[in-house]
Amino acid sequence: MFSFIKKISQKKGLPPGTPVYIGEERTEKVKLTIIDYDGDKFEMHQAETVEECSHYKEKPGITWINVEGIHDISIVEKLGACFDLHPLIVEDIVNTEQRPKVDISDDYIFIVMKVITWDEAAKVIHVEQMSLIFGSSFVLTFQEKQGDLFSDVINRIKNNKGKIRKSGSDYLAYTLIDNIVDNYFKVLENIGEDVEDMEEELLDNPTPETLHKIHFIKREMIFLRKSVWPLREIVSALEREETPLIKETTIIYLKDIYDHTIQVIDIIETYGDIISGMLDVYLSSISNRMNAVMKVLTIIATIFIPLTFIAGLYGMNFNTKKSPFNMPELNWYYGYPFVLGLMAAIGIIMLIFFKKKKWF
Amino acid sequence: MFSFIKKISQKKGLPPGTPVYIGEERTEKVKLTIIDYDGDKFEMHQAETVEECSHYKEKPGITWINVEGIHDISIVEKLGACFDLHPLIVEDIVNTEQRPKVDISDDYIFIVMKVITWDEAAKVIHVEQMSLIFGSSFVLTFQEKQGDLFSDVINRIKNNKGKIRKSGSDYLAYTLIDNIVDNYFKVLENIGEDVEDMEEELLDNPTPETLHKIHFIKREMIFLRKSVWPLREIVSALEREETPLIKETTIIYLKDIYDHTIQVIDIIETYGDIISGMLDVYLSSISNRMNAVMKVLTIIATIFIPLTFIAGLYGMNFNTKKSPFNMPELNWYYGYPFVLGLMAAIGIIMLIFFKKKKWF
Amino acid sequence: MFSFIKKISQKKGLPPGTPVYIGEERTEKVKLTIIDYDGDKFEMHQAETVEECSHYKEKPGITWINVEGIHDISIVEKLGACFDLHPLIVEDIVNTEQRPKVDISDDYIFIVMKVITWDEAAKVIHVEQMSLIFGSSFVLTFQEKQGDLFSDVINRIKNNKGKIRKSGSDYLAYTLIDNIVDNYFKVLENIGEDVEDMEEELLDNPTPETLHKIHFIKREMIFLRKSVWPLREIVSALEREETPLIKETTIIYLKDIYDHTIQVIDIIETYGDIISGMLDVYLSSISNRMNAVMKVLTIIATIFIPLTFIAGLYGMNFNTKKSPFNMPELNWYYGYPFVLGLMAAIGIIMLIFFKKKKWF
Amino acid sequence: MFSFIKKISQKKGLPPGTPVYIGEERTEKVKLTIIDYDGDKFEMHQAETVEECSHYKEKPGITWINVEGIHDISIVEKLGACFDLHPLIVEDIVNTEQRPKVDISDDYIFIVMKVITWDEAAKVIHVEQMSLIFGSSFVLTFQEKQGDLFSDVINRIKNNKGKIRKSGSDYLAYTLIDNIVDNYFKVLENIGEDVEDMEEELLDNPTPETLHKIHFIKREMIFLRKSVWPLREIVSALEREETPLIKETTIIYLKDIYDHTIQVIDIIETYGDIISGMLDVYLSSISNRMNAVMKVLTIIATIFIPLTFIAGLYGMNFNTKKSPFNMPELNWYYGYPFVLGLMAAIGIIMLIFFKKKKWF
Amino acid sequence: MFSFIKKISQKKGLPPGTPVYIGEERTEKVKLTIIDYDGDKFEMHQAETVEECSHYKEKPGITWINVEGIHDISIVEKLGACFDLHPLIVEDIVNTEQRPKVDISDDYIFIVMKVITWDEAAKVIHVEQMSLIFGSSFVLTFQEKQGDLFSDVINRIKNNKGKIRKSGSDYLAYTLIDNIVDNYFKVLENIGEDVEDMEEELLDNPTPETLHKIHFIKREMIFLRKSVWPLREIVSALEREETPLIKETTIIYLKDIYDHTIQVIDIIETYGDIISGMLDVYLSSISNRMNAVMKVLTIIATIFIPLTFIAGLYGMNFNTKKSPFNMPELNWYYGYPFVLGLMAAIGIIMLIFFKKKKWF
């Protein structure tokens, strides 16, 4: 749960710029996909070696290299060397606990984002780091593991849908970021359904289990918020920065992403408020129930305790023969019916009293 | 309840600028009202086709096209093409989950707002999206469904009331925004009445039902706040922006709207504070009642438990004949009156003790 | 309580600049006081008609027109026309639910403030709107109802105390604002006394009544805060604004008001913190008492329940003659004293146990 | 407690610039100490009249006039006249409820601060106002009452320690402010000790008394915060302001004070957080204890209630002779031992049940 | 615990710039390590006297003097004199309660930071102050006590790893700061593990002990936050400041530290949120348990109290011979079985009632 901390401190004592992979251990082969396109042509294939990539660097057209798997640091380092990336950037790519951020330099823009998926069974979010670097004619993306996150975008390029084939690397970068932000809505939709279920459960039949569910989803919201919140600054920085890497026409699309990011944060905060409200309601429900339990106990106890006392009274063994003062009631002709009536009267008075107090 | 999320994620994977209607499904015919006026003339009719609209574009005077229903995307797209709107704007118009915002470009200003209505029966707010675009001589408005939201404004134009006929498209846009903001006061008035009722109920006779009501209205306030809050920035941006589309004389009216928006937000926050206070009072009330219940139980129990013990004591069957030490009280002449007196004394002492403790 | 909302929505659908009086209904005659002075002369009388006022407009010296009662809209409109006020300003004057604000134009400065009075009996604040407009040689003030709010200032002018007669309209406006801010201290003093009383009550003998008092005063603080908070921006705007209407020498006085306003807000927030703290203490007190109640019940019950059981045991009717195993204690010579001793021992052990647990 | 409000409203209705002393009533003679020094000479004596002071105004060297007691307004007014202070400044000096602030004019800088002392016995803070005015060659200080607040500084001047004798009036002013800020650390140290004691008490044996202590210290922290918080802006304003009254070399010392002020505020907020945490722990402790009390009651009651029922059962007087079904157990040979065994078994089962539930 | 306050106030009354050591009392000898290097050479030895240090000042190459122990003020003063440090800086170095800060002057940059270590046994953080001063060719570091904090960095210099030997004093300073920030991750990792353990304990078996643990770790987080938070401004100031002391190429490394600092603060706040959530869950758990306890009591009591009453009823000693109305049931043939059946019926009805209420 807090395991993400453990790995960062492994880096302690190393010189800056030393790349250390700190994500989950993986052994699978790293998948390198090269996509090269311009308005007219489209080429896509799996690269066997990193060296193949450098070949595409010189060619005209947009080159997008998608790296799935960053546990093999040497591949990232070679790519970094090929595209002249600063050592600190290579370090950041493999440091999977990076906070989302943007670094804008003259030759390229480096963006770190988090890809969120919602594990419905365990009710936890999974966070994967996605690094994106784009220069004037290339885009590099680094994912922690293989997946089909970008299949929509690849199809759009392949089928020449929209203006993507006619646009530059900045538009491709925008499309990829947009894709990830759209993904947040999907996750929030799933969480929203769970919150809705929880709320129903809360109003119908709250159990200590419900409390734990609320607690866990609240914690997941904290982590989600932490992953998404910095995105706002990132997109805002891209929008404001005057760099030749981002064309005038792309700015309006960045504004669109900015709006979506704000909306995602808005929804996260709304959920947070709703979940906090649920906690209040849960606590009140417990109090309400305790109140109900106490009332039952009190009604039963206060009715029967005096009656039991009376019964006990006439169960005393005072010697009625020794003195006329000793429990003469026991020898009355209507003694027993009288006592029964007395008891009934007390019980009824008690019930009226509780009725008046609106206890039932 | 959280269903608004579900639809946004439908858009995932589509190229940007692809309009997708994500509101409630509708089949009714879209209503297109064209209002064309200047200081002298006034014309209003229902357009059968979108093409009719483009005709008015060229004519002098102000043209206002009010579209009621945006589920037929083709109509919005055609209008967008006719008035040279950016594809992202068309996309935003039909995306009914847009966050309120303003986009200012050289040729037109695009505003997204939320129209709020209060469903008194279900105690929920309904949110409808209203998009407004105005250029130098035209105003377009898009509503999700048919309604008479703008009937007051139409009447004012028709009857040449106020300065609206003599003013430009910016004044018309202002009037429409003002109309929607005024509507917020109506909704807040209704909610205010419910809050007032709830508070009375809370002080008179709080039930778990009251808690749920407070919880639900609190949640509605969260959604309401989310819909209204961004309006502040919108109006402020319109005021500050130096654009030829907004005339000097209209600025003072925008300031007026700004004041109203601040007031709406003020009221929402005041209600929020009041509702939070009610929750505190509710919780205290439960505690107070539990306290009262416990006191009744404790008074009854602590008085009768010792008495019952004494009665039990003299109900023991020790053989008084075997030994003078065995319960000689049972054979005393005044044994029974003495025990009764003892019991009365204990009861009275207890009552005095509770009285002193201010338990009743 | 929330009734102030109801009236604002009456304005819905009217063209902007249409003045609508939304305060309490009143029928009394509007009182128009004209005060005209300069360093040498002083004139004050009740005007019968608005037209009289316009006469003073042209005269040299400072003219102050104090209007008590704004329910007669025509008077306000005529005055507005006479002094060339914008229609939106006239509308704001009669809209008694205006948020405090300042509008600075070339010819005059328009300020809306709230006059607060504390109704000691009902423990509520009353809020009255005061509008103030001043140009280079005139000051207009509009109050909702007749009162002696400004009698101090009038006396100071009449008796030529301080520098008011030698100063311009900006100094008069400052004096009037200062007067209202000073009034806030009076109200806060009264509220402070009530808070002090409440705190004593809270520590001595908190009742559910105390909770309601805390709740109500907390709500009044919310409304008070809402009325005073915007004043900060108003004074700050006046200070910063470079307008010929405010002379250099008056700025230092505005700084003084600014300091006072900050102090008022400071006190309101301090009270708010104290009241919140009182709510915490109240809740803790309830818990403490419940705890005390429970302890009494538990001590009594846990001591006597075992004793009653023993008494019950020896009240069983086993046939001692049938078997030597059947309750031989009943026939012991010291049976009864032994059982009494046993009971006393159990009781004392219990008491020691509770003493150790520090239950009493 | 809230009495500080009462006096401010006494000023209502007076023209601005009218000095009114609103502190505690005092009758003692005001003490005027004149200290005149430069690098070479040092002179210090008690002035009998204010007029004496004006004599020092013209002399070269730094003149520091320390006024202990401001209830004699005429002295303050005369000094104000002598040093050309604005009437509003004279008013602020004697208005002991001034919020800490700084006023920078061309000829002098006016600073209002609060001197805090901690009354260990009553556990309350005492707040005294200290006004400080310094021009190019003079420093005036005004305290509410006699005290030895500045004795350290006077000794340092007398004994020519540090660079004070060689520096200007701005350095003296800095030294005096530094002296007061250092004093805050002393107060915070004392409060810290009390908080520490309280925390130990809280963990060892929390009583309702502890709650009241927490409540009171929390309130004192609110007042303390209110007195110290504005100091941050004051020192920051002095640092930033470009005035010939503050020399370049003094700026670094002001930065030092700024750091200390931030540290004081930091500590106050840390204490606030700790005290809030203590309140949470207190409330939890009450709940925990209630829980413990309830468990004892429940264990005793649930063990003995069934046993008492069984005892009661065999205390019934059914006529065993009339029918073989009527309580034949009473005539069994091992009836009594059997019942005792049954009771023991029930008790033991109950205890095992509670043990399993981890109730003890 | 709050002892850090006590020492600061010792300084009260001393002239500014008087260094006073306020840390723990120490007697060990101060350790002075001199490291002198450039691209080619590396020299490191323990200095016996401060005078030795001044010798290195003039030599080319970077000189790093690491002082372990600042309780011997004379050493710090001599070093300060040797490197021309301002007296206030010397004072700040030995004032171990300094808030983290940066002072940038023309000749050197002075940074105060906190080194945090986590005492696993006592579950408290230890805070040690580290002062760092660097000029164009020297770096001075001051630690409170001996330790191997910088051993990694020393090794890196010795073994010529990374670019440290080829870089200037600013890069060395960066490396040292980076080292300390990396150390924060180590501490947070340890705290994270404790928080994780606590959370498990909380969900499995919360005890009052758990509450105290949560309380203490919450307090440690307050102190940790206080130590780390100002670092953000420090690094940000270094980044922005245009000083020849920090080379262009080092800026990107400072950005890296800035990112890490933000991440540390992020984690601290996330932990804070999680710990707050745990407190809520703890309180709910107590309520839940109390509820469970109350239910057991109520079920047992409400079942047996009526049964005990019935048993008591037939234990009354009414004389059945005197009247046929006096408890004829006692003489019925099936009296006892009937009563037993009645009791069983009541018990079963009660159980069904509780089952329906979902009490077990």
Side-chain angles (χ1 to χ4, degrees), chain D residues 12-179:
Chain D
K12 199 180 160 301
L14 291 173
T18 314
V20 179
Y21 174 71
I22 62 172
E24 286 175 46
E25 252 178 76
R26 295 182 202 280
T27 52
E28 75 222 47
K29 201 176 167 317
V30 171
K31 194 172 153 194
L32 276 157
T33 312
I34 300 177
I35 294 161
D36 194 79
Y37 68 90
D38 57 20
D40 303 317
K41 71 176 165 44
F42 171 82
E43 188 195 332
M44 166 168 161
H45 75 280
Q46 306 298 330
E48 286 305 306
T49 62
V50 181
E51 285 66 28
E52 234 177 290
C53 300
S54 56
H55 165 69
Y56 285 90
K57 202 193 152 191
E58 309 301 318
K59 282 175 66 175
I62 306 299
T63 305
W64 169 22
I65 301 174
N66 183 24
V67 183
E68 288 165 87
I70 51 175
H71 46 280
D72 186 347
I73 291 172
S74 68
I75 292 175
V76 181
E77 283 184 307
K78 281 182 203 158
L79 263 174
C82 168
F83 287 92
D84 288 327
L85 306 182
H86 193 281
L88 281 176
I89 297 229
V90 172
E91 189 189 353
D92 284 348
I93 290 169
V94 299
N95 174 353
T96 55
E97 297 307 335
Q98 200 57 44
R99 192 177 182 260
K101 67 166 188 175
V102 64
D103 271 350
I104 299 172
S105 63
D106 289 347
D107 297 329
Y108 50 80
I109 292 174
F110 172 55
I111 298 165
V112 178
M113 294 177 74
K114 299 291 178 183
V115 177
I116 309 285
T117 44
W118 174 244
D119 182 337
E120 185 61 30
K123 307 279 186 211
V124 292
I125 56 168
H126 288 307
V127 179
E128 189 195 349
Q129 179 156 314
M130 205 282 291
S131 306
L132 185 155
I133 297 138
F134 71 96
S136 58
S137 71
F138 68 92
V139 174
L140 309 180
T141 49
F142 297 88
Q143 294 171 255
E144 281 187 56
K145 58 172 191 274
Q146 298 192 9
D148 59 350
L149 182 65
F150 293 138
S151 55
D152 285 332
V153 179
I154 294 173
N155 282 333
R156 232 182 293 157
I157 301 175
K158 198 190 259 168
N159 304 328
N160 202 350
K161 263 197 203 150
K163 48 183 277 195
I164 197 162
R165 283 276 280 276
K166 280 142 245 142
S167 308
S169 60
D170 55 340
Y171 189 84
L172 175 57
Y174 147 74
T175 309
L176 296 171
I177 297 170
D178 189 49
N179 199 50

Side-chain angles (χ1 to χ4, degrees), chain B residues 126-146:
Chain B
H126 288 305
V127 179
E128 190 195 347
Q129 179 155 314
M130 207 283 290
S131 306
L132 186 153
I133 298 137
F134 71 97
S136 57
S137 71
F138 68 93
V139 174
L140 308 179
T141 49
F142 298 87
Q143 293 172 257
E144 281 187 55
K145 58 171 190 275
Q146 298 192 10

Side-chain angles (χ1 to χ4, degrees), chain B residues 16-255:
Chain B
T18 313
V20 180
Y21 174 70
I22 60 171
E24 285 175 46
E25 252 176 74
R26 294 181 203 280
T27 53
E28 74 223 50
K29 202 178 166 313
V30 170
K31 195 170 152 197
L32 275 158
T33 312
I34 300 176
I35 294 163
D36 194 80
Y37 67 91
D38 59 20
D40 302 318
K41 70 174 166 44
F42 172 82
E43 190 196 331
M44 166 168 161
H45 76 282
Q46 306 298 330
E48 286 305 305
T49 62
V50 180
E51 284 67 28
E52 236 177 287
C53 299
S54 56
H55 165 69
Y56 284 91
K57 203 193 153 191
E58 308 303 317
K59 284 174 64 175
I62 307 298
T63 305
W64 170 21
I65 300 173
N66 183 24
V67 183
E68 286 165 86
I70 50 175
H71 45 281
D72 186 346
I73 292 172
S74 68
I75 291 176
V76 181
E77 283 183 309
K78 281 182 204 159
L79 263 175
C82 168
F83 287 91
D84 289 327
L85 305 181
H86 193 281
L88 282 176
I89 297 229
V90 172
E91 188 188 355
D92 283 350
I93 290 170
V94 298
N95 174 354
T96 55
E97 296 307 334
Q98 199 57 44
R99 191 176 184 260
K101 66 166 189 175
V102 64
D103 271 351
I104 298 173
S105 64
D106 288 347
D107 297 328
Y108 50 80
I109 292 175
F110 172 56
I111 297 165
V112 178
M113 293 177 74
K114 299 291 179 183
V115 178
I116 308 285
T117 43
W118 175 244
D119 182 338
E120 184 61 30
K123 306 281 186 212
V124 292
I125 58 168
H126 288 305
V127 179
E128 190 195 347
Q129 179 155 314
M130 207 283 290
S131 306
L132 186 153
I133 298 137
F134 71 97
S136 57
S137 71
F138 68 93
V139 174
L140 308 179
T141 49
F142 298 87
Q143 293 172 257
E144 281 187 55
K145 58 171 190 275
Q146 298 192 10
D148 60 349
L149 184 65
F150 293 138
S151 56
D152 285 332
V153 179
I154 293 173
N155 282 333
R156 233 183 290 156
I157 302 175
K158 200 190 259 168
N159 304 327
N160 203 349
K161 264 196 204 152
K163 46 184 277 195
I164 197 162
R165 284 275 282 276
K166 280 142 245 142
S167 309
S169 60
D170 56 339
Y171 189 84
L172 176 57
Y174 148 73
T175 310
L176 296 170
I177 298 170
D178 189 48
N179 200 49
I180 287 170
V181 173
D182 277 358
N183 196 45
Y184 294 156
F185 286 107
K186 179 93 196 86
V187 169
L188 285 173
E189 171 192 328
N190 291 331
I191 294 178
E193 279 165 18
D194 282 341
V195 172
E196 207 173 345
D197 288 355
M198 238 179 268
E199 196 169 49
E200 249 167 63
E201 193 182 313
L202 179 70
L203 295 178
D204 284 5
N205 183 27
T207 61
E209 191 66 9
T210 320
L211 173 68
H212 290 172
K213 277 192 206 163
I214 294 174
H215 175 61
F216 281 120
I217 208 147
K218 200 178 166 190
R219 222 188 41 197
E220 292 309 304
M221 293 310 282
I222 292 171
F223 286 114
L224 183 57
R225 200 188 130 93
K226 205 173 81 111
S227 301
V228 176
W229 187 257
L231 195 59
R232 185 181 172 149
E233 297 158 43
I234 293 173
V235 182
S236 168
L238 288 175
E239 237 186 275
R240 281 192 326 263
E241 189 73 23
E242 288 180 17
T243 163
L245 291 171
I246 300 177
K247 293 192 202 85
E248 193 66 22
T249 50
T250 310
I251 296 287
I252 192 167
Y253 291 99
L254 289 174
K255 270 187 192 146

Side-chain angles (χ1 to χ4, degrees), chain A residues 64 66 113-116 130 132 141 143 147-156 164 171-187 231 253 256-257 260 264, chain B residues 8-9 11-16:
Chain A
W64 170 21
N66 183 23
M113 293 177 75
K114 300 291 180 183
V115 178
I116 309 285
M130 206 282 292
L132 185 154
T141 49
Q143 293 172 256
D148 59 350
L149 184 65
F150 293 138
S151 56
D152 285 331
V153 180
I154 294 174
N155 282 333
R156 233 183 291 156
I164 196 162
Y171 189 83
L172 176 56
Y174 148 72
T175 309
L176 296 170
I177 298 170
D178 188 48
N179 199 50
I180 288 170
V181 173
D182 277 357
N183 196 46
Y184 293 157
F185 286 107
K186 179 93 197 87
V187 170
L231 195 60
Y253 291 99
D256 202 55
I257 292 190
H260 288 172
V264 168
Chain B
I8 298 181
S9 67
K11 298 186 58 180
K12 198 177 163 302
L14 291 174

Side-chain angles (χ1 to χ4, degrees), chain D residues 199 203 281, chain E residues 1 118 122-124 198 209-223 275:
Chain D
E199 197 171 48
L203 296 178
V281 171
Chain E
M1 181 161 45
W118 175 244
K123 306 278 185 214
V124 292
M198 239 179 266
E209 191 65 10
T210 320
L211 175 67
H212 290 171
K213 278 191 205 164
I214 294 173
H215 175 62
F216 281 122
I217 208 146
K218 200 177 164 190
R219 221 186 45 196
E220 292 308 304
M221 293 310 283
I222 292 171
F223 286 115
I275 292 169

